[in-house]
Amino acid sequence: MVDALRTAAAANPGAGEIFQILRDGTARTKAELAAITGLARSTVALRVDALLAADLLRPAGEAASTGGRPPARLAFNSRAGVVLAVDLGATHATSAVADLAGVILDSRTRTIDIGDGPESLLDVILEDGAALLEASSAAGIPLLGVGIGVPGPVEHSTGRPTNPPIMPGWDRFDIPAYVQRTFDVPVLVDNDVNILALGEQATIWPHIDDLVFVKVSTGIGSGIIAGGQLQRGAQGSAGDLGHVQVPNGAGSAREPGDERDLEALASGSALAAALHDAGYAAHSPADVVDLVRSGNPAAIEATRQAGRNVGEVLATVVNLLNPSIIVLGGSIARAGEHLLAGVREVVYRRSIPLATQHLAIVQSQAGDRAAVLGAAIMVAREVLSPVNVDRYVATKAR
């Protein structure tokens, strides 16, 4: 029955389905849309006119004439609305306004302490968001949604963090409801690594459908894109690499009974603690990065070993998921090639040859805006889904 309904919907697309065809940015005529959908030109014209009235489409010049008046082309109007995207980290918060195509219009970053709790931090973020929305680049454009990435596990369906280890006071806090007191729009919340994966894929690897993004910073986590879709799992905990016990393989320098998980061995916090115990001036992941960049041999070796430990866990991920790309991000990954070298050393040795035949393991290239871009994409995909576009068009027609 469900399949029959889907077939019927595909055979008779509404305005929302027709809109999806134009989201690729290619301008098309009504006749071209009729040919793609198989609908009568009169039906396409009615639905396109509704999308134009809702400002979701815009005129895009004329096509070549085949005799008579040249047909008008139509294109996705990415400035029909904006989204507010927020990347909350342990010590930073970046807020950005993006158009519906994911282009960042303006942003600002501030230093925070995630341990200050949800109300005070969200109040500051909402103030930043309001200021960005009032800026000239976004002034007068309706806000259609808010996307927030947080550094901990999230139940995506409710937007509530669940036992986040580095976010005291945030457990089960209703982030969407709190934000909607200020902005009465849909609010989506996800783990920060998931939105990093979305941003990296959209920016650097748009044609790759199977990608794993691994963030090595204060903690460790991963975002998994498989078959072109972000995988969150049943409760939103998919990709939690940090709490996987690291195999103690042959040649390991660890004691046989060492059952520490990956985060306890290879995170920036773990590296800082180990280097500090060895007599080096390392109190935070940033200090580890500084030591590596200054050429400190102990910090370089510790970072490479961290890469090997990450590789021990990723080898299993590669065998299970067979990604095309593994992307390493986070502060420790940005310290140089040492983490990357350690990961490659183990993954290519321990994964099956078929899974690594065309596997690339690379550093993140999307830059500091990858997370807010991913949050913007997450929201845009939701608010511009066929069913939500149909609702939006109906609202505008009233």
Side-chain angles (χ1 to χ4, degrees), residues 302-356:
T303 302
R304 181 149 188 158
Q305 182 57 46
R308 295 186 188 106
N309 289 327
V310 172
E312 292 281 2
V313 174
L314 281 178
T316 300
V317 173
V318 169
N319 288 338
L320 284 174
L321 300 180
N322 189 202
S324 299
I325 303 285
I326 293 176
V327 181
L328 297 178
S331 60
I332 303 303
R334 292 194 296 269
E337 294 285 323
H338 310 291
L339 186 82
L340 185 66
V343 171
R344 286 173 172 165
E345 177 186 330
V346 175
V347 168
Y348 288 126
R349 186 175 75 246
R350 294 201 183 278
S351 301
I352 61 174
L354 183 60
T356 58

Side-chain angles (χ1 to χ4, degrees), residues 3-14 17 34 36-40 43 47:
D3 288 341
L5 290 173
R6 286 175 178 167
T7 301
N12 186 27
E17 292 286 355
I36 292 170
T37 61
L39 295 174
T43 301
R47 292 172 184 175

Side-chain angles (χ1 to χ4, degrees), residues 19-388:
F19 176 73
Q20 304 308 309
I21 299 170
L22 293 160
R23 282 192 62 193
D24 64 1
T26 301
R28 296 178 175 88
T29 66
K30 292 178 182 177
E32 289 170 331
L33 291 171
I36 292 170
T37 61
L39 295 174
R41 290 194 183 190
S42 58
T43 301
V44 170
L46 284 172
R47 292 172 184 175
V48 165
D49 288 345
L51 290 167
L52 284 166
D55 204 31
L56 290 171
L57 299 183
R58 58 176 177 80
E62 296 178 337
S65 174
T66 57
R69 183 178 178 180
R73 289 189 182 277
L74 305 157
F76 171 34
N77 179 18
S78 61
R79 297 296 176 94
V82 294
V83 298
L84 177 62
V86 179
D87 168 34
L88 281 178
T91 59
H92 79 277
T94 298
S95 302
V97 172
D99 69 15
L100 297 179
V103 176
I104 303 296
L105 305 179
D106 201 357
S107 67
R108 60 174 59 181
T109 299
R110 65 167 64 236
T111 299
I112 63 163
D113 181 350
I114 198 70
D116 287 345
E119 290 96 340
S120 60
L121 278 182
L122 288 173
D123 286 344
V124 170
I125 296 309
L126 293 173
E127 288 177 9
D128 286 348
L132 289 169
L133 290 168
E134 292 172 3
S136 58
S137 58
I141 304 177
L143 176 68
L144 299 188
V146 178
I148 301 174
V150 300
V154 175
E155 186 180 61
H156 183 67
S157 60
T158 64
R160 296 172 183 259
T162 305
N163 296 319
I166 64 169
M167 299 174 66
W170 290 78
D171 185 35
R172 306 303 302 171
F173 184 82
D174 193 344
I175 297 176
Y178 195 86
V179 172
Q180 286 168 336
R181 290 165 45 180
T182 301
F183 299 120
D184 187 19
V185 294
V187 178
L188 302 181
V189 185
D190 209 339
N191 180 272
D192 58 347
V193 192
N194 282 343
I195 63 172
L196 280 166
L198 288 174
E200 188 81 21
Q201 183 202 32
T203 306
I204 309 298
W205 311 101
H207 304 299
I208 296 296
D209 288 336
D210 297 277
L211 175 150
V212 175
F213 187 101
V214 181
K215 181 182 179 182
V216 183
S217 191
T218 304
I220 297 177
S222 73
I224 300 168
I225 295 175
Q229 300 296 317
L230 180 66
Q231 304 300 315
R232 295 188 173 93
Q235 272 73 48
S237 67
D240 189 2
L241 288 184
H243 294 99
V244 175
Q245 183 179 331
V246 180
N248 202 340
S252 173
R254 293 158 51 211
E255 295 295 328
D258 189 342
E259 296 184 350
R260 286 177 292 172
D261 62 24
L262 183 59
E263 198 161 284
L265 285 168
S267 67
S269 299
L271 294 179
L275 288 168
H276 181 267
D277 290 345
Y280 296 96
H283 302 280
S284 69
D287 295 332
V288 176
V289 173
D290 289 341
L291 286 169
V292 170
R293 288 177 174 169
S294 68
N296 182 281
I300 289 172
E301 177 52 33
T303 302
R304 181 149 188 158
Q305 182 57 46
R308 295 186 188 106
N309 289 327
V310 172
E312 292 281 2
V313 174
L314 281 178
T316 300
V317 173
V318 169
N319 288 338
L320 284 174
L321 300 180
N322 189 202
S324 299
I325 303 285
I326 293 176
V327 181
L328 297 178
S331 60
I332 303 303
R334 292 194 296 269
E337 294 285 323
H338 310 291
L339 186 82
L340 185 66
V343 171
R344 286 173 172 165
E345 177 186 330
V346 175
V347 168
Y348 288 126
R349 186 175 75 246
R350 294 201 183 278
S351 301
I352 61 174
L354 183 60
T356 58
Q357 184 177 8
H358 300 294
L359 173 67
I361 304 175
V362 301
Q363 282 187 313
S364 173
Q365 301 172 50
D368 294 338
R369 286 185 168 185
V372 287
L373 175 59
I377 291 169
M378 173 178 68
V379 176
R381 287 179 178 175
E382 174 67 17
V383 301
L384 297 180
S385 67
V387 64
N388 285 329

